[in-house]
Amino acid sequence: IEHKNIMRLIEIKQNSENYYLICELCNGGSLRQCVNKYLKMYNKTFSEEIIQYLMKQIIEALKYLHGKHIMHRDLKLDNILVNFKDENDKSVLNMYGAEVKIIDFGFAAHVDKKQDLHKSVLGSPMYMDPKLLKKYTRTSNIDITGYDESIDIWSLGNIFYEMLTGKLAFDTNDIKILEQKIDTGFYSLPTTSYKEVVGFLIGMFQYDSEKRLTAEELSKHDFLSKNIRHFVRIDINTVKNYIK
C-alpha cells in the first residue's frame, strides 16, 4: 500500500537478532499527544476547523484502505502520527501545518467479501465495535459470522469525539461498564454544537454496523464538504429526536 496519509515503509534490514523496519520520519508524535498538548497549551480542544482538516486526511487514507478491502482493526489516536512542516509549526502546534499518517498494521486484515473469515476479536476495547466488544467480554453468545471495514468506522467515531471534546465517548476502566455504556448509546456533547458535527458523529456511532456511513460516504458528508462558516448552530437539548 502507498498513500500520503499512511506511514511509508522504506526498507527492512536484519541482523542475527532483529529485523528493523525503516519508516519515514514523523516529527510530531502521535495524534493523542498533540490533542493533550494542545489542551494544556491553549486550554481548549481542537476547533471544528482543525478537526475537519485532520479528518479529511484520515478518511482519505481509510477510503484507500477500504477500497483495497483492507481493515485496520486498531484505529485510535495513538496509531495516527503527526508530521509538521517545520519546527515552528511543531512548537506552536499549528495543526494546519501538519500531515497525519496511520500506523501499526499489526491487526490489519484483508476482507474477502465471498467468505466470512474474520471472526477473531482484536483491537483496543475502548474503540471496539459493540459486537466485537461483546465477544471480547464473553457476556454474549452472539455469533460473529464475520465482519468488515465498518468496524474501522466505529473506531473513527471515537477518534472524532476525542478530538472534539478531549475525552473518550465511553470512558471507564471497567470493561463491563464500558459495554453497558455503549449499549445505552449515551454520550455527552457540548450543549451547543453544529448540526453537521452531530450528524457526522451519528453517522459513525451507529450501533448496527450496517447503518454506519462508509468512508466514501463520510468523505462527502456536509461536515467535510461545507465551509464551517455555513454550518448550522443547534442546541443539543432541543434536538433530542434528531440525535436519537
Side-chain angles (χ1 to χ4, degrees), residues 2 34-35 45 58 66 74 121 156 161 184 236 243:
E2 187 173 348
C34 288
V35 167
T45 56
I58 299 169
H66 293 176
D74 197 21
V121 181
L156 188 64
Y161 186 92
T184 65
I236 297 297
I243 295 175

Side-chain angles (χ1 to χ4, degrees), residues 8-211:
R8 184 165 60 95
L9 177 63
I10 298 171
E11 63 177 319
I12 300 174
K13 291 182 177 293
Q14 71 177 101
N15 60 20
S16 60
E17 297 179 346
N18 300 301
Y19 287 101
Y20 298 90
L21 308 182
I22 314 301
C23 299
E24 62 180 315
L25 174 66
C26 285
N27 59 20
S30 71
L31 191 52
R32 178 178 303 284
Q33 290 172 317
C34 288
V35 167
N36 293 337
K37 287 178 182 177
Y38 194 92
L39 189 58
K40 290 180 180 179
M41 188 178 295
Y42 297 108
N43 197 30
K44 62 180 180 180
T45 56
F46 287 165
S47 66
E48 286 85 357
E49 289 90 344
I50 290 175
I51 297 172
Q52 183 188 66
Y53 174 77
L54 297 174
M55 286 297 289
K56 282 181 179 179
Q57 297 181 56
I58 299 169
I59 287 174
E60 282 303 310
L62 269 188
K63 276 174 57 180
Y64 174 83
L65 289 173
H66 293 176
K68 291 183 174 293
H69 305 301
I70 297 169
M71 51 185 175
H72 187 279
R73 299 204 290 184
D74 197 21
L75 278 180
K76 52 187 176 181
L77 288 175
D78 309 84
N79 284 341
I80 301 173
L81 294 191
V82 180
N83 188 48
F84 290 98
K85 291 178 182 176
D86 54 49
E87 286 300 315
N88 182 62
D89 283 339
K90 179 181 175 182
S91 65
V92 298
L93 287 180
N94 174 24
M95 302 309 297
Y96 295 113
E99 193 171 59
V100 295
K101 298 178 186 288
I102 297 175
I103 65 165
D104 195 351
F105 284 77
F107 288 165
H110 186 266
V111 181
D112 188 333
K113 294 295 184 180
K114 297 179 181 179
Q115 302 178 47
D116 284 329
L117 299 177
H118 302 292
K119 301 180 182 180
S120 55
V121 181
L122 298 169
S124 303
M126 302 297 283
Y127 294 81
M128 195 177 285
D129 175 281
K131 285 185 180 179
L132 293 185
L133 184 64
K134 285 185 179 294
K135 194 73 172 177
Y136 180 80
T137 59
R138 298 182 179 179
T139 57
S140 170
N141 292 322
I142 185 171
D143 179 29
I144 301 181
T145 56
Y147 51 85
D148 59 17
E149 303 96 324
S150 63
I151 65 167
D152 287 340
I153 303 300
W154 178 272
S155 302
L156 188 64
N158 281 282
I159 289 171
F160 179 74
Y161 186 92
E162 281 192 83
M163 287 196 288
L164 188 68
T165 67
K167 56 187 178 182
L168 289 162
F170 307 101
D171 192 9
T172 176
N173 292 322
D174 188 315
I175 196 163
K176 300 293 185 182
I177 295 175
L178 172 64
E179 184 181 347
Q180 292 169 8
K181 284 189 172 187
I182 292 176
D183 280 344
T184 65
F186 178 81
Y187 51 89
S188 300
L189 284 173
T191 304
T192 58
S193 186
Y194 293 109
K195 180 180 178 181
E196 292 80 4
V197 171
V198 176
F200 192 68
L201 182 62
I202 290 172
M204 294 179 282
F205 269 171
Q206 288 293 318
Y207 193 90
D208 183 346
S209 61
E210 293 185 2
K211 295 180 180 179

